[in-house]
Amino acid sequence: MKRFFTLSAAAVMTAACSQAEPETQEVVVVEDAPVASETMEVAADVVEEGMPLDISEGYILAPLKGRDVTAGYFIIENNGADARMVSASSPIAAEVELHTHTMNDGVMQMREVEGIDLPTGEVVTFRPGGLHLMLFGFDRAEGQTETPVTLQFEDGEELTLTLPIRERE
């Protein structure tokens, strides 16, 4: 079953950070990790068929000029049954991967992960320097300010968010 909703303005949600352990061996050295330039307060609630998720502070950071790789961030609070996010996609990205940052011998590295656990009652934060969506082949229309991003879960469920695209300053 697919679920669709759009993020809208709301109050700031204080969130604890939780990270899944990297599950693959692919390593990419981060030369220019995306950094948020301002705070955007957005939130939405999804309460359907046993998988209520509160999602806030979501956005896609516009790529650096001349590049087609960028990152997406949001906060998920799981108020339902345990879940595991296993992939993501967007119509304006050739590929979307689930990533984390780790420090290895003094070098910050990104690693793709096979899935991210969303335990019942926990908050999982996708943020610069931590868990994030990595979008490759990012190609938006001129003036496009938002994009759908579909999250896929281990149980076959899908959740489609409409995330704003935040310009870099």
Side-chain angles (χ1 to χ4, degrees), residues 53-142:
L53 300 175
D54 291 329
I55 299 180
S56 63
E57 299 184 37
Y59 66 96
I60 302 293
L61 190 60
L64 291 168
K65 187 174 182 164
R67 299 212 180 156
D68 68 351
V69 176
T70 193
Y73 309 104
F74 47 88
I75 298 170
I76 298 178
E77 181 177 2
N78 185 358
N79 295 308
D82 286 349
R84 181 172 173 81
M85 184 186 313
V86 294
S87 65
S89 61
S90 175
I92 65 172
E95 185 175 359
V96 180
E97 296 178 354
L98 308 176
H99 273 228
T100 189
H101 277 101
T102 57
M103 186 64 77
N104 189 7
D105 295 327
V107 177
M108 184 64 79
Q109 299 174 330
M110 280 190 286
R111 292 181 185 250
E112 182 180 8
V113 294
E114 292 178 5
I116 298 170
D117 291 327
L118 303 171
T120 300
E122 296 291 323
V123 175
V124 178
T125 303
F126 286 65
R127 62 176 172 73
L131 291 172
H132 59 281
L133 299 179
M134 200 73 201
L135 294 89
F136 298 93
F138 189 81
D139 186 23
R140 67 175 167 161
E142 187 171 332

Side-chain angles (χ1 to χ4, degrees), residues 23-77:
E23 297 179 3
T24 65
Q25 297 302 313
E26 183 178 335
V27 176
V28 177
V29 175
V30 178
E31 295 176 5
D32 187 18
V35 176
S37 60
E38 60 186 65
T39 300
M40 179 179 287
E41 301 166 7
V42 293
D45 295 328
V46 177
V47 181
E48 275 188 43
E49 299 181 32
M51 194 171 152
L53 300 175
D54 291 329
I55 299 180
S56 63
E57 299 184 37
Y59 66 96
I60 302 293
L61 190 60
L64 291 168
K65 187 174 182 164
R67 299 212 180 156
D68 68 351
V69 176
T70 193
Y73 309 104
F74 47 88
I75 298 170
I76 298 178
E77 181 177 2

